[in-house]
Amino acid sequence: MRPTLPTPCAALACAVAAALATGCLGHARPVELDVPTLAPPAATGGMPIEIREGDVELVVQGEPLDAAATDATRAHVARVLLRVVGTPAQGAGSARTRLTLTTPRPALFVTGPYRRYTFALETELPGGRVVHTSALTVVADDDDLFALEQWAGIAAATQGALALGLAGLGLVFADNDPNEAAAWLTFSALPTASGALVTAVMAAALGGHARAHASRRASDALVQALVEHAADVRGELERRGDVPAAPPAARGASAVSLVLHDELSCLSQVDLERDLEAMVPASTSARFTLDASVRPGPRDEVVVRLVVTRVGAAAPLAERELSVARGDCGTLARAVARIARMQIEASTMSPALGGAP
């Protein structure tokens, strides 16, 4: 009975197809933009405007979103703006918000990070006044993940092509002998094809991880753009007299003046000022400045740099840097206030600084 070759050939064809498809299919759709990674601080209520999902318009330039993604993004925009602008008062007027979203349109083969998103926001207030916020652009791809994904795809495609070449050579040298052809496929081409299939699966897994990372980064950028836009909207309402500006005393009587630089909207200024008021009250004549800078860290971390300076002093009183997970942003304000209090208490106990011995 003469042996046949359907099973080895089918396995070889599947491995090669998977390997060759890996480098293209990972770039088929835009990433999700409503991943809940950041929780911006909630504003006080009683606002004279209301932003509803039905009043949010989404204009997409570039790769279009499907209907489900469009609805999810519009709902996300309305939900975040309602949180950071403030809950509406009774009888509040409707405000219409437009998000102009520029999405990447990748080529079939890409050679570098390409997921560039731009968020531009404008809100039409009751009465026709329009508030614009400068566009925010972010490249959502991670360089390292992108490189790993591409190299894995290239390796899978190379292994698949090598498996095809070995299979062809086996058929040529077999000279129409099915037994010898089957031996070539089984002991030469199929192991290479199996390696191509394994590498293709790894490339697909890396692609999924890279896509999830890009979704988180793009979602964080959208939240940051919404927080900045909400600040512009509240500022316009205050200038119009619709919302009374908070008096300086409302910020709390603390011995520490806060200077915050937070590009991630992780550290709540309102919560931190309240905690500083409770932990470092203005009960003495000594005054201090806390300079807090928040920036992205490695992996999924947030790096916070703190500089405590006594007013009038030439050198900083203390400098600290700490790394926390993004999920700990909600409790970061209290931790920073505790650090400031400990540094200030240590300094006031030092005779060199004029404190108690």
Side-chain angles (χ1 to χ4, degrees), residues 180-198:
E180 188 172 350
W184 266 89
L185 287 177
T186 301
F187 298 106
S188 181
L190 274 183
T192 308
S194 300
L197 185 59
V198 171

Side-chain angles (χ1 to χ4, degrees), residues 172-269:
V172 169
F173 288 112
D175 195 19
N176 295 325
D177 185 347
N179 290 319
E180 188 172 350
W184 266 89
L185 287 177
T186 301
F187 298 106
S188 181
L190 274 183
T192 308
S194 300
L197 185 59
V198 171
T199 308
V201 171
M202 293 175 59
L206 284 171
H209 189 57
R211 180 180 173 82
H213 183 278
S215 292
R216 292 194 300 270
R217 182 173 288 183
S219 298
D220 290 350
L222 176 55
V223 170
Q224 180 182 347
L226 292 171
V227 170
E228 294 176 0
H229 184 61
D232 293 340
V233 170
R234 289 181 66 93
E236 176 62 24
L237 292 174
E238 290 176 358
R239 283 190 293 271
R240 289 172 42 173
D242 296 335
V243 178
R251 290 185 172 270
S254 173
V256 180
S257 299
L258 175 64
V259 179
L260 178 61
H261 309 278
D262 185 1
E263 60 185 85
L264 301 177
S265 300
C266 174
L267 185 57
S268 170
Q269 181 166 348

